[in-house]
Amino acid sequence: MSTFQLDSHYGRFGGCYAPETLMPALIELEAAFVEARAEPEFRERLRRLLRDFGGRPTPLFHAERLGAEWGLDLWLKREDLLHTGAHKLNNALGQALLAQRMGKTRILAETGAGQHGVACATVCALLGLDCVVYMGEMDAQRQVPNVERMELLGARVVIVRAGQRTLKDAINEALRAWVGDPDAHYLLGSALGPHPFPTIVAFFHEPIGKEAAAQYREQAQTDQPDLVLACVGGGSNAIGLFRGFMDNPEVALVGVEAGGTGSAPGEHAARWAGGREGVLHGCKTLVLCDDDGQILATHSVSAGLDYPAVGPEHAQLAEQGRARYLSASDDEALAGFAALARFEGILPALESSHALGWLLARREDWRGMSVLLGLSGRGDKDLATVLPLLGGTR
Ligand SMILES: *Cc1c(COP(=O)(O)O)cnc(C)c1O
């Protein structure tokens, strides 16, 4: 097999802008994915592990008190209740099973805040695979508990001291390591990167949207919500949720990115507000970069949304007008966090809090309507960030 079998593009976006040395591994991966996806035994093994180990299906929760407060009908898809506390396990488990099926013995992964690294370390322990996680030095210093978690789960954490010493540099380093290691699978953590990763990652997150659509029909006793929204870092939890509603034009889709502290370069990670078409990590998409194509620094109160590019399928959905992408500021996200904690007894991840904060700020526009919001993760990991910022309201 010397070429790809699937379309690597999402309209003008996506593709595979990878060095030649990486191509054999990407082609091998795509072939294995196409085979596994069609194989009932593979799908059944994944389904069972997602159920018995992960806790799928995750509930759809009718948030009646917060909905009443905001004047709308609010439903939460509870990925915060998935094992390890976020949607990331769907993809980590799917790709790790794929790697095992390919005869790989080692998983290489990048991590920013550490959530994806923890999910990878978890599934590697489950399946008996070696796990090496690349993490920028800055991130490792900010996220000590997650480094400790990964090590307790048996992973080796490699500290990356190149570049800005954050997620972008960790991805570069993991990709580099993959080239020289035929026994390894690189387990990319969001719906981005060179083909076939955006396709594979979105596929493994599809249960989020499929479950949510069926649960909504049953519990709300109507066909569809008016609005489906989710936070967008690289875009994996959002694409998983959107896939359940994409074909239904009556459902508005909104992705919420990190508005940070302001609109100047370096103050946010809002690719639709300040980005342009470019190539980062092997795929053509919307990128925050300067006139010379140099990647700009980003900021968000939530580490999971703090990335200068976005998955190519979202770039296409925006261009087609099928989905809209807007941002919530750090402060709006914190207000969303506080509201869910007080009205529903759920501490959301700061990433998910951006979707909540956006809805809180625009609730008048959606008054009386039905809103299904993807709660991508739980907030325990964010307490050290949230407490000093919300302390004044205690
Ligand atoms: C990593 C993460 C995100 C952002 O990643 P996506 O690929 O955009 O989903 C969002 N929420 C949580 C809880 C995360 O851990």
Side-chain angles (χ1 to χ4, degrees):
M1 191 68 58
S2 59
T3 54
F4 288 128
Q5 306 169 48
L6 305 172
D7 186 358
S8 68
H9 285 87
Y10 293 92
R12 292 187 298 122
F13 303 105
C16 185
Y17 298 82
E20 229 166 287
T21 46
L22 208 58
M23 290 306 293
L26 292 167
I27 290 166
E28 181 196 11
L29 173 61
E30 194 217 44
F33 170 69
V34 169
E35 254 179 59
R37 189 174 59 173
E39 189 185 279
E41 301 80 50
F42 178 85
R43 295 180 74 125
E44 181 57 17
R45 179 138 194 259
L46 175 59
R47 194 187 65 80
R48 275 174 192 260
L49 284 173
L50 283 174
R51 182 190 66 192
D52 303 339
F53 183 70
R56 299 216 77 87
T58 59
L60 181 72
F61 173 61
H62 194 194
E64 295 183 62
R65 261 176 39 82
L66 189 56
E69 174 72 12
W70 289 355
L72 41 83
D73 192 32
L74 181 61
W75 299 80
L76 303 176
K77 181 57 176 164
R78 299 286 309 272
E79 292 302 292
D80 61 311
L81 293 177
L82 195 64
H83 182 39
T84 69
H87 67 289
K88 293 215 163 67
L89 191 82
N90 299 318
N91 171 51
L93 188 57
Q95 282 197 51
L97 285 179
L98 191 58
Q100 208 171 40
R101 195 178 175 283
M102 294 167 76
K104 307 287 180 184
T105 55
R106 186 166 27 261
I107 295 296
L108 310 176
E110 84 292 342
T111 199
Q115 292 304 107
H116 174 58
V118 169
C120 286
T122 298
V123 300
C124 285
L126 173 73
L127 300 176
L129 296 164
D130 280 348
C131 185
V132 184
V133 180
Y134 292 83
M135 190 171 193
E137 187 176 34
M138 287 272 290
D139 290 331
Q141 283 165 359
R142 288 187 287 199
Q143 307 288 338
V144 173
N146 273 337
V147 176
E148 292 168 346
R149 262 180 212 121
M150 287 183 263
E151 288 177 342
L152 284 172
L153 290 160
R156 187 158 67 83
V157 179
V158 176
I159 304 297
V160 176
R161 299 197 166 81
Q164 293 175 341
R165 297 172 289 143
T166 60
L167 176 61
K168 169 173 72 65
D169 314 292
I171 296 180
N172 289 336
E173 208 60 32
L175 281 168
R176 217 182 328 259
W178 192 27
V179 170
D181 191 349
D183 296 328
H185 168 65
Y186 174 37
L187 209 166
L188 185 55
S190 189
L192 43 83
H195 179 76
F197 281 111
T199 302
I200 292 177
V201 176
F203 173 78
F204 286 133
H205 282 301
E206 271 179 12
I208 305 174
K210 287 187 174 157
E211 285 172 14
Q215 289 167 321
Y216 183 83
R217 273 192 300 276
E218 193 192 319
Q219 294 173 231
Q221 307 247 309
T222 49
D223 285 344
Q224 74 261 324
D226 299 302
L227 168 66
V228 167
L229 87 158
C231 64
V232 181
S236 68
N237 87 88
I239 208 67
L241 185 63
F242 288 0
R243 286 267 174 107
F245 301 89
M246 216 123 87
D247 297 338
N248 186 341
E250 318 240 306
V251 179
L253 302 176
V254 167
V256 183
E257 48 179 2
T261 55
S263 57
E267 292 179 348
H268 63 86
R271 288 72 43 110
W272 277 274
R276 58 182 86 187
E277 203 174 303
V279 171
L280 182 64
H281 294 137
C283 102
K284 186 187 281 184
T285 183
L286 271 183
V287 183
L288 289 167
C289 59
D290 67 16
D291 291 339
D292 299 324
Q294 292 300 308
I295 304 303
L296 294 170
T298 51
H299 162 81
S300 170
V301 70
S302 85
L305 303 188
D306 201 351
Y307 180 71
V310 68
E313 191 170 352
H314 290 291
Q316 182 190 30
L317 286 172
E319 194 168 74
Q320 291 171 335
R322 179 62 193 94
R324 285 188 302 148
Y325 296 85
L326 301 148
S327 67
S329 69
D330 285 358
D331 288 344
E332 286 171 336
L334 285 163
F337 179 103
L340 192 66
R342 299 291 174 85
F343 280 92
E344 299 291 355
I346 300 169
L347 300 178
L350 274 175
E351 290 84 2
S352 329
S353 300
H354 281 71
L356 290 158
W358 181 86
L359 187 60
L360 166 58
R362 279 102 190 145
R363 62 192 181 281
E364 285 307 322
D365 300 342
W366 298 97
R367 179 164 284 281
M369 298 203 217
S370 176
V371 178
L372 194 158
L373 184 148
L375 201 69
S376 54
R378 67 174 181 227
D380 308 56
K381 68 183 178 60
D382 295 317
L383 295 192
T385 307
V386 170
L387 276 170
L389 296 170
L390 284 181
T393 67
R394 256 184 303 177

